[in-house]
Amino acid sequence: MDTGQIVLIIVVAVVVIAAIIIALMVGRKKRAEANRQRALDLREKADQEAVSAHQAKVESAQAEAAAVQAEAEANRLRREAERNSAKAKEASGRVEEHLRHADKLDPDANTRGNGSSRDADVPEHDARVQNAEHDGHRLTRDRSHREAANDGAARDRDGSVRDGSVRDGSVRDGDRNA
């Protein structure tokens, strides 16, 4: 082989090696640029997720505040219900006391023909009163036994019935559980 051929082989080898080196460098640059772009995309996605996470935290805090407020409202309503229940029991007791007092004052209400107390003859009365209180119904007295005990209802001077019932559907003071 002569020197021209050896030089030619060396030059070709150098050119091939240079081309390989250039190709590798260009490939690395392209990969680096692709990695930069992927990193940029991931950062943008992370920023969006951070905004979503922050929004979720805000919504969570609002929901927690609403729950605390609802709990406070429930406690307030529970206290109000307890007060109303106490008022209802007190009013029921007053109604019962008024009715007992009225029965004491009314000579026809205190005895049946045998001289016994009306409340003693009607033991289920207290249970009816309690059931009416729990059911939320109007608290009234059953005075239907008076007609039988008195052989008919007693009449006032103006001719109205004096057996304690209300004939026109109106409600007397003390007959309503307020």
Side-chain angles (χ1 to χ4, degrees), residues 6-172:
I6 293 178
V7 171
L8 183 64
I9 292 174
I10 292 175
V11 169
V12 170
V14 169
V15 170
V16 169
I17 291 174
I20 291 174
I21 291 174
I22 291 173
L24 286 175
M25 288 175 59
V26 168
R28 280 186 186 168
K29 280 187 176 184
K30 285 185 180 181
R31 249 193 332 251
E33 186 61 35
N35 285 343
R36 282 188 194 100
Q37 186 61 40
R38 274 187 267 164
L40 181 63
D41 291 342
L42 287 175
R43 285 186 184 103
E44 287 176 1
K45 187 176 180 181
D47 287 342
Q48 290 172 350
E49 288 180 6
V51 169
S52 296
H54 180 69
Q55 186 177 2
K57 284 181 183 179
V58 167
E59 289 172 358
S60 173
Q62 288 174 342
E64 187 174 339
V68 167
Q69 184 177 4
E71 185 176 342
E73 179 68 11
N75 287 336
R76 184 190 67 79
L77 290 173
R78 189 174 301 113
R79 287 189 306 270
E80 185 177 331
E82 289 170 356
R83 282 192 304 268
N84 289 341
S85 176
K87 285 179 184 178
K89 286 179 183 178
E90 181 182 322
S92 175
R94 283 194 312 261
V95 167
E96 188 63 29
E97 187 175 321
H98 287 309
L99 291 174
R100 272 191 236 114
H101 184 62
D103 285 348
K104 287 179 183 177
L105 293 175
D106 187 357
D108 295 332
N110 288 334
T111 60
R112 292 181 174 195
N114 61 7
S116 64
S117 169
R118 186 187 71 74
D119 287 338
D121 288 342
V122 188
E124 71 276 0
H125 168 72
D126 289 333
R128 282 194 319 258
V129 169
Q130 289 175 354
N131 288 339
E133 288 174 3
H134 291 294
D135 293 342
H137 291 55
R138 192 173 85 207
L139 181 62
T140 60
R141 282 275 174 111
D142 179 16
R143 293 184 172 90
S144 60
H145 64 279
R146 289 187 184 170
E147 289 184 25
N150 295 326
D151 294 324
R155 303 268 178 195
D156 286 336
R157 290 184 204 129
D158 63 353
S160 62
V161 178
R162 200 180 72 186
D163 67 349
S165 63
V166 178
R167 301 285 188 217
D168 63 355
S170 65
V171 178
R172 293 183 308 138

